[in-house]
Amino acid sequence: MELKLHTKQKLAGEVSLPGDKSLSHRAALFAALADGVSEIDNFLDAGVTRAMLQALSAFGVQYELNGRHLTVFGHGLDGWQQPQNPVFCGNSATTYRLLAGAVAASGLACTLDGSEGLRARPMERIFQPLRQMGVGIESDNGRAPARFLPRSRECPLRPIHTTLPVASAQVKSCLTIAALYADGESVIDEPGPSRDHTERMLRSMGAQVISCAGNRVQIVGSRAPLHPLRIDLPGDISSAAFLLTAAALVPGSFIRIPSVGVNPTRTGFLDALRSMGGSFSVENEREVCGEPVGDIRLTASPLSATEVSGDLVVRMIDEFPVFAALACGANGVTRVRGAKELRYKESDRIAILCEELKRIGVTVKEFEDGFDLVGGTCRGGEVDAHGDHRIAMSLALLGLISPEPVVVRHAEILNESFPEFLTDLQQIGGEVCLSA
Ligand code: S3P
């Protein structure tokens, strides 16, 4: 599918978003670990969360998905069954890494595999600490597919005390889940503030997971049953970032997005936007099941370049493609540093962004850990999504400001995380042109 976006007018309106991707993954998995029936509203129905649900059903977990309402019939981890075939995690690294924590704890023998794209992602970062906890894992090259060897349920995992080399919520969550079933207290330290949804949600289900100062998590392993979930998931701030960017790029625009998750470990994009002169407010702040939620209202304003590095990188780790689109509409040179982790996402997001942006005229210089991007240089032309949903949507947004159209090839990948992207844009006045 080829995608072209443009607009002849300012964008304006209100858009409600489906549930947060990270929270949807966790809600489905933790509900499958709980004892009892969980009811989850505003579940994100997209490629990556379908991957989680399908993987769970391979372990005999039963669920019903009606629109955005998910019911999961949990029977505790002891109720999980041995899968008959390799368990396929699709394109979803969150599914793979979080599920690996549960599989490790279960002692069930199984092979976890995924798409070609997922097979290219680094998994040794979870295999090595899981092995330290006593899990047998066989993998050729520290990547999927990996075979988890059977372990007797009488033989619990060893607790872990570790410092992660890179801040990663997926690795932290994998180990946290395994540590819940370990024999004693585990401590995980991180070099930066990665998203803490796992800690918050597991705590709300009765687990002893304590977030401490200095990016430390303490987990008391007890094998105690988790309470089922009853939760209305907030909208995804990472999806909101695309619509906020669309409105911020087109002069005179206005957008309101109610009920967005504004957990401080996720709001780095808003901080970066503010430092560029973005004019927005977060209103009606409240807490839903331990997660901060607010309504975001933005009015387009002139933007100037900014610099992003340090902890801010971790707090906006998924937003660099859309941030690059935003920077194309800002005055001056935007600098990103300390973001080497972007090279290990759905694509090498530093290399791919620089390569594709250059194709449409943007002056951008690649560094090992970031890029320098000159605003106001986007001309238009043809680009490719490279199998990366966020690259597809971000490049498409540039069609709103470039003198020539921007055509994004293989844009269907956006359905992996934000299938409503195009209809939401149309709802605020954007024009969408699709061809086969
Ligand atoms: C996620 C954590 C991040 C993020 C991903 C979702 C999660 O990955 O990029 O889209 O839900 O825990 P890392 O933990 O690898 O940084």
Side-chain angles (χ1 to χ4, degrees), residues 317-321 341-355 371 388-391:
I317 191 70
D318 286 339
E319 275 58 83
F320 284 93
E341 188 58 14
L342 296 180
R343 295 197 179 272
Y344 308 105
K345 295 295 174 186
E346 283 83 336
S347 65
D348 174 341
R349 283 187 175 155
I350 295 178
I352 296 298
L353 267 175
C354 292
E355 183 183 323
F371 52 84
D388 186 329
H389 51 130
R390 298 195 201 282
I391 296 276

Side-chain angles (χ1 to χ4, degrees), residues 3-88:
L3 168 63
K4 239 184 331 184
L5 296 182
H6 62 112
T7 184
K8 296 189 202 74
Q9 50 177 15
K10 59 191 182 182
L11 305 172
E14 174 164 325
V15 177
S16 287
L17 294 173
D20 183 89
K21 169 170 90 78
S22 290
L23 288 171
S24 295
H25 272 123
R26 285 160 175 77
L29 174 61
F30 300 166
L33 296 175
D35 271 1
V37 180
S38 290
E39 303 288 355
I40 299 148
D41 276 316
N42 205 26
F43 183 79
L44 170 69
D45 184 8
V48 289
T49 47
R50 286 265 173 175
M52 172 64 92
L53 292 176
Q54 272 157 27
L56 288 173
S57 62
F59 292 92
V61 175
Q62 305 218 320
Y63 66 87
E64 284 167 10
L65 181 60
N66 292 309
R68 289 185 184 176
H69 185 87
L70 177 69
T71 306
V72 180
F73 303 91
H75 296 286
L77 185 58
D78 287 343
W80 285 32
Q81 294 158 18
Q82 179 87 50
Q84 297 309 310
N85 296 304
V87 178
F88 187 67

Side-chain angles (χ1 to χ4, degrees), residues 203-281:
R203 223 162 23 230
S204 81
M205 300 172 79
Q208 277 186 274
V209 177
I210 304 147
S211 304
C212 313
N215 308 317
R216 165 171 285 196
V217 183
Q218 260 171 281
I219 306 110
V220 179
S222 69
R223 301 188 78 99
L226 294 173
H227 311 313
L229 277 171
R230 235 153 253 269
I231 191 169
D232 187 5
L233 299 176
D236 196 328
I237 181 98
S238 296
S239 298
F242 292 102
L243 301 176
L244 292 170
T245 296
L249 285 175
V250 180
S253 296
F254 162 82
I255 190 168
R256 181 173 179 275
I257 314 179
S259 297
V260 182
V262 287
N263 178 319
T265 59
R266 295 285 300 280
T267 48
F269 175 79
L270 295 182
D271 293 350
L273 176 58
R274 188 175 288 113
S275 74
M276 297 169 92
S279 171
F280 67 90
S281 56

